[in-house]
Amino acid sequence: MYTCLIIDDEKLARQLIENHLAKIETFKVVASCKSAIEAINILNIQHIDLLFLDVEMPVLLGTDFYKNLVQKPKVIFTTAYREYAVHGFELNAIDYLVKPITFSRFFKAIEKFSASQNSKPEIQVNDNNIQNNSYIFVTEDRKQVKILFDEILFIESIKNYIKIKKENKSHLVKYSISAFQNVLDSRFLRVHRSFIINKDKVTAYTKHDIEIGKIEIPIGESYKTTLVNQIT
């Protein structure tokens, strides 16, 4: 989980960023501040991975505030004025967002930040565990989390992430679905460019979709010809 701090003197601007972040599971808003002075108290006691920092604020510009920080989190600058962009990138900002900020543009900035944080593989696999059809470890919220194969219902590709769906919980991992498919055993079947299913969990199927309990998973056109024999 990445921790975020929002700094903007406009309440509506802060709320918009909070709403955008609420749609992304791997980011948590630690605090939302209306001034740099208020924010510095947070930074002194709390680790922050990513700042959303407005440039034009009373008393102290956001760029000057960031420049003077001793410990600098990654930063995404926000402003209503494009002319400040050069100053932002001179400070190695992840991105520079011009208000009003749409979710699609916001998500691109988040992807840039995520890419900068993922120099290490997100999945670490013990070959013996795969051979024994037991479990794998995945990196989630900076921890190695044990995932039992028996508990997986399906895997869904979401942008640059995969969602590993279990009965009562999901795990969101930075990895491609094709690469993840290579670490799974024979009970798992690719049925769509965005879905891998656990055949043991299938409760019903047609030529168009597969049901796992109350969840319907589409079958991709290119997978339909050989799929039925593999499911049964």
Side-chain angles (χ1 to χ4, degrees):
M1 183 72 69
Y2 295 116
T3 53
C4 303
L5 176 61
I6 302 167
I7 311 171
D8 197 308
D9 60 312
E10 297 177 7
K11 184 177 179 179
L12 290 177
R14 296 195 304 272
Q15 289 176 340
L16 178 63
I17 293 174
E18 287 186 51
N19 291 340
H20 285 340
L21 284 170
K23 299 174 185 176
I24 307 171
E25 293 181 6
T26 48
F27 290 81
K28 175 185 177 182
V29 177
V30 170
S32 181
C33 304
K34 61 184 178 183
S35 71
I37 304 302
E38 190 179 329
I40 200 67
N41 294 324
I42 303 296
L43 289 165
N44 284 337
I45 61 173
Q46 175 77 47
H47 172 78
I48 300 296
D49 295 305
L50 181 59
L51 280 179
F52 290 90
L53 181 55
D54 185 29
V55 174
E56 353 42 86
M57 292 190 296
V59 183
L60 185 64
L61 287 176
T63 46
D64 291 335
F65 169 73
Y66 187 73
K67 200 181 301 182
N68 292 324
L69 288 177
V70 176
Q71 297 294 329
K72 292 180 170 62
K74 296 291 185 180
V75 64
I76 294 174
F77 285 108
T78 63
T79 184
Y81 304 100
R82 294 181 182 275
E83 56 265 31
Y84 284 116
V86 174
H87 301 294
F89 289 119
E90 284 176 352
L91 294 171
N92 296 317
I94 292 292
D95 209 339
Y96 185 93
L97 300 177
V98 178
K99 302 173 183 178
I101 303 166
T102 64
F103 181 73
S104 60
R105 181 64 185 86
F106 182 85
F107 191 75
K108 285 182 181 179
I110 289 296
E111 286 189 311
K112 288 182 183 179
F113 168 78
S114 297
S116 75
Q117 301 299 299
N118 285 286
S119 56
K120 296 180 181 179
E122 290 296 321
I123 298 175
Q124 301 196 7
V125 180
N126 183 317
D127 291 336
N128 292 328
N129 294 334
I130 294 174
Q131 187 175 359
N132 295 331
N133 300 331
S134 53
Y135 61 87
I136 57 174
F137 279 94
V138 299
T139 303
E140 183 182 44
D141 297 342
R142 303 183 182 182
K143 296 182 292 187
Q144 293 298 307
V145 179
K146 187 176 184 178
I147 307 289
L148 298 175
F149 282 176
D150 286 340
E151 295 181 349
I152 299 175
L153 301 180
F154 63 88
I155 297 98
E156 180 182 3
S157 176
I158 305 173
K159 297 281 186 179
N160 296 324
Y161 292 81
I162 57 169
K163 180 171 73 172
I164 303 169
K165 183 69 174 71
K166 300 194 298 186
E167 191 72 43
N168 298 312
K169 189 173 183 179
S170 296
H171 301 273
L172 194 66
V173 180
K174 177 80 171 181
Y175 217 69
S176 75
I177 193 169
S178 295
F180 193 75
Q181 185 177 9
N182 293 331
V183 307
L184 297 170
D185 63 31
S186 59
R187 84 188 79 178
F188 292 93
L189 184 64
R190 186 80 171 264
V191 299
H192 188 280
R193 65 194 298 266
S194 298
F195 289 95
I196 296 171
I197 64 161
N198 183 343
K199 292 188 289 183
D200 294 346
K201 305 296 184 179
V202 173
T203 52
Y205 67 88
T206 70
K207 63 180 180 179
H208 300 295
D209 57 52
I210 290 167
E211 293 181 13
I212 296 178
K214 295 182 179 180
I215 301 169
E216 292 184 1
I217 297 171
I219 298 175
E221 288 295 328
S222 60
Y223 296 87
K224 287 182 178 179
T225 54
T226 59
L227 202 55
V228 172
N229 291 334
Q230 295 182 63
I231 294 175
T232 55

